[in-house]
Amino acid sequence: MSAFELKNLNDCLEKHLPPDELKEVKRILYGVEEDQTLELPTSAKDIAEQNGFDIKGYRFTAREEQTRKRRIVRVGAIQNSIVIPTTAPIEKQREAIWNKVKTMIKAAAEAGCNIVCTQEAWTMPFAFCTREKFPWCEFAEEAENGPTTKMLAELAKAYNMVIIHSILERDMEHGETIWNTAVVISNSGRYLGKHRKNHIPRVGDFNESTYYMEGNTGHPVFETEFGKLAVNICYGRHHPQNWMMFGLNGAEIVFNPSATIGRLSEPLWSIEARNAAIANSYFTVPINRVGTEQFPNEYTSGDGNKAHKEFGPFYGSSYVAAPDGSRTPSLSRDKDGLLVVELDLNLCRQVKDFWGFRMTQRVPLYAESFKKASEHGFKPQIIKET
């Protein structure tokens, strides 16, 4: 694990601020007037304690309506470190991570979660920094019929839970191409579909385009028993249009499985998914892995830094943001954790009615502008003094 001095911002606030001041700080920081803690079952907390991971529970409420019943859904976000060294056999590494996360999914089930989502590329170390093809490409597997989807499908059915998991996909029907893909499994245990990462980073140690390119699945929204779900994978959170398209397609909850590190992106982390929730009137669930991963060979990224074997630290800090701008506290910056959040999906429409962001969005105006901007002969609309 990484050696962060500050493990958790919320814990720091609670430790050092008096109650009245803490309440006002949380109102400003999280956008909530009242305590949003969700009491979790002892059975779920026992699993977490026995297996060394944090578990936190929060809730978002909505106004009671006269014509619609409350639409209460519980989501679980899982952040975790890898388990054994990256030099171990591929199947051993994957199995070790499977075993850890299966226990966390069991805790999510005990906590009443209807939907669970993993972090990005959860079955493997985030080895794309190395630019080495072997052995890392061996982690790739089929989205629908691969071993991880089959294993999770059994859990989804057993726990009556939708499971979203992010993998390195091997597309056997198109030249065995590799993609960065999120797979959605219905609570019936059936494969529902997949989404491939739309935006690929080329920054710092994130050398992902060595392995896969931009996705070709558009912006799908998956209609489930527990709401309309979408997945904006990692780097896509930096692109407002990516978030917007999931909203235009009707998403009520957008998960953001990620793998991002320390000072590269932490200033952006608490802002982007929260802003997307506000702008698009849906819930967002950004999830990040934890720990520092060590690889066998030194690598560089052409950024002037010395060759190194470590990648990280990944800073965790998974949270959930609501369409009214409020958010939960984050999970730890350096420890495995399960975040359980109860949502009332009616809040999505209520916020649309109150703020009118969707009504005033003016999609045709921007569609015309985007069309012009994408043409070869485009000239920016700049007015100069003559």
Side-chain angles (χ1 to χ4, degrees):
M1 285 295 201
S2 57
F4 283 115
E5 293 182 6
L6 180 64
K7 308 292 186 181
N8 185 290
L9 176 61
N10 192 65
D11 290 350
C12 181
L13 294 174
E14 293 188 348
K15 179 179 179 181
H16 295 289
L17 294 181
D20 289 347
E21 192 171 328
L22 175 65
K23 183 177 180 180
E24 183 66 4
V25 167
K26 284 188 173 182
R27 184 190 67 80
I28 297 169
L29 188 62
Y30 299 136
V32 293
E33 296 284 350
E34 303 296 334
D35 180 34
Q36 59 185 150
T37 302
L38 175 67
E39 185 58 39
L40 298 175
T42 301
S43 57
K45 292 188 285 188
D46 286 347
I47 293 172
E49 183 177 1
Q50 292 163 10
N51 291 277
F53 61 87
D54 287 341
I55 185 168
K56 301 287 185 180
Y58 303 98
R59 63 157 47 96
F60 294 105
T61 60
R63 295 173 62 90
E64 186 173 355
E65 299 184 13
Q66 297 181 43
T67 58
R68 291 195 302 172
K69 295 180 179 179
R70 293 190 182 276
R71 300 176 62 214
I72 304 298
V73 172
R74 285 194 185 186
V75 301
I78 294 175
Q79 66 176 44
N80 60 276
S81 59
I82 60 174
V83 181
I84 61 178
T86 60
T87 51
I90 296 294
E91 291 188 355
K92 294 285 187 183
Q93 291 188 58
R94 183 167 59 193
E95 184 179 9
I97 298 172
W98 276 9
N99 290 338
K100 172 189 280 194
V101 172
K102 282 195 291 186
T103 301
M104 300 175 82
I105 292 174
K106 181 179 180 181
E110 290 291 329
C113 287
N114 307 112
I115 310 162
V116 164
C117 185
T118 69
Q119 64 200 25
E120 183 183 20
W122 75 278
T123 61
M124 61 180 291
F126 212 73
F128 312 121
C129 57
T130 68
R131 298 194 300 275
E132 299 170 343
K133 297 299 182 70
F134 308 107
W136 316 121
C137 287
E138 293 184 52
F139 278 101
E141 56 183 280
E142 290 184 78
E144 182 173 359
N145 298 308
T148 302
T149 296
K150 288 182 177 180
M151 179 272 293
L152 290 177
E154 294 180 3
L155 298 183
K157 184 175 182 179
Y159 296 140
N160 190 32
M161 173 192 293
V162 173
I163 297 180
I164 302 168
H165 73 108
S166 171
I167 59 168
L168 192 62
E169 179 198 0
R170 175 79 68 183
D171 186 355
M172 299 301 293
E173 295 181 354
H174 298 91
E176 300 181 304
T177 305
I178 289 177
W179 303 91
N180 185 319
T181 301
V183 180
V184 181
I185 304 169
S186 170
N187 56 313
S188 66
R190 297 189 182 96
Y191 168 84
L192 188 57
K194 65 187 176 186
H195 172 57
R196 291 167 173 161
K197 188 173 182 176
N198 278 333
H199 298 275
I200 309 302
R202 298 159 177 85
V203 56
D205 289 337
F206 290 85
N207 299 306
E208 296 174 47
S209 59
T210 302
Y211 302 86
Y212 44 78
M213 299 300 286
E214 285 75 13
N216 58 2
T217 53
H219 297 85
V221 171
F222 302 91
E223 188 164 2
T224 75
E225 182 179 335
F226 308 115
K228 296 177 181 177
L229 319 177
V231 192
N232 181 359
I233 304 173
C234 197
Y235 193 73
R237 74 180 174 278
H238 304 308
H239 295 269
Q241 296 84 0
N242 206 39
W243 291 108
M244 180 184 71
M245 287 307 304
F246 292 118
L248 290 177
N249 283 330
E252 296 172 308
I253 310 171
V254 181
F255 294 86
N256 176 227
S258 301
T260 186
I261 61 171
R263 284 173 170 77
L264 173 71
S265 65
E266 201 163 12
L268 312 179
W269 179 254
S270 63
I271 299 169
E272 290 170 313
R274 188 177 188 180
N275 188 62
I278 297 167
N280 298 288
S281 304
Y282 53 45
F283 291 93
T284 58
V285 188
I287 307 166
N288 187 27
R289 67 173 60 203
V290 292
T292 296
E293 298 171 1
Q294 178 137 347
F295 297 95
N297 302 316
E298 290 185 337
Y299 65 91
T300 64
S301 295
D303 55 6
N305 291 323
K306 293 181 179 180
H308 49 285
K309 295 182 178 181
E310 299 81 19
F311 194 20
F314 298 93
Y315 55 81
S317 304
S318 305
Y319 67 97
V320 175
D324 63 358
S326 61
R327 56 156 289 182
T328 69
S330 298
L331 288 178
S332 168
R333 297 173 75 224
D334 72 340
K335 188 176 180 182
D336 294 349
L338 168 63
L339 178 63
V340 178
V341 183
E342 184 175 279
L343 322 172
D344 187 340
L345 296 181
N346 283 353
L347 186 61
C348 297
R349 183 190 291 180
Q350 292 175 11
V351 170
K352 289 175 186 176
D353 289 346
F354 182 81
W355 280 105
F357 291 150
R358 296 297 293 274
M359 179 180 67
T360 59
Q361 194 169 24
R362 302 200 65 190
V363 172
L365 169 67
Y366 292 103
E368 181 180 351
S369 298
F370 286 145
K371 183 178 185 299
K372 292 177 180 178
S374 64
E375 293 172 351
H376 180 70
F378 169 71
K379 294 183 179 180
Q381 186 180 1
I382 300 174
I383 299 174
K384 300 179 180 178
E385 183 179 359
T386 57

